[in-house]
Amino acid sequence: MRTLLKTIHFLGLSLFLGSIVSYVAIGIVVDSPAAQAFSRTYVLTGTTWVTIPALWVLGLTGIMLSGIPGALWQKVKVIGFVLVALNTHVFILPAISNSVYFLKQGEQDMLEQALHTEAVAGFVNLALTITLMVVAVGKLRAARRAGQYSERS
């Protein structure tokens, strides 16, 4: 069961980070209004159907693999996941939706504001995600050194 959870966890991680990389890449190559419209729609659809579900799979399997939060590192992971999920649902997804709407309406100033919100909140999520990965890997290394973890766990 633990191996299945790990597999699902890493699949969620791959989908989460991979989808974000694709959004950044498509944003870089956009060079026309038509391409920008496609890009924003692609990001909204991908965030809704790939990134957010992957985020939840990643977070929930991570919590399940960590066990009941008792140690500080476990609490940090749970709190970090909650912050990433809240940031995604409260700031990022609405900003992406707004960017699509404002682009269609031709409201350039509001579009720029939505893109800025998305960029800042996205950076916060990326920083939080990297921090959580460092905590998880650091705990794993410490457990291996202490002889509390084997490859079969």
Side-chain angles (χ1 to χ4, degrees), residues 10-25:
F10 284 112
L11 179 62
L13 178 64
S14 299
L15 287 169
F16 179 70
L17 293 178
S19 64
I20 293 168
V21 168
S22 75
Y23 308 149
V24 171

Side-chain angles (χ1 to χ4, degrees), residues 11-127:
L11 179 62
L13 178 64
S14 299
L15 287 169
F16 179 70
L17 293 178
S19 64
I20 293 168
V21 168
S22 75
Y23 308 149
V24 171
I26 198 167
I28 290 171
V29 299
V30 167
D31 61 353
S32 70
Q36 188 176 30
F38 172 79
S39 166
R40 294 283 78 211
T41 303
Y42 171 81
V43 171
L44 178 59
T45 303
T47 299
T48 303
W49 295 102
V50 177
T51 310
I52 290 176
L55 165 69
W56 282 98
V57 165
L58 178 63
L60 294 176
T61 57
I63 290 169
M64 289 167 50
L65 286 165
S66 297
I68 297 170
L72 177 62
W73 71 271
Q74 291 170 313
K75 290 176 184 171
V76 167
K77 285 181 68 173
V78 171
I79 291 167
F81 167 66
V82 169
L83 290 174
V84 169
L86 281 173
N87 187 38
T88 299
H89 288 284
V90 173
F91 294 107
I92 296 174
L93 187 57
I96 296 169
S97 297
N98 288 341
S99 72
V100 170
Y101 175 79
F102 294 134
L103 183 64
K104 288 179 182 177
Q105 298 301 314
E107 297 181 33
Q108 190 63 30
D109 290 340
M110 297 301 289
L111 171 63
E112 294 297 326
Q113 184 178 351
L115 292 173
H116 179 74
T117 300
E118 179 188 351
V120 170
F123 176 78
V124 168
N125 263 12
L126 186 59

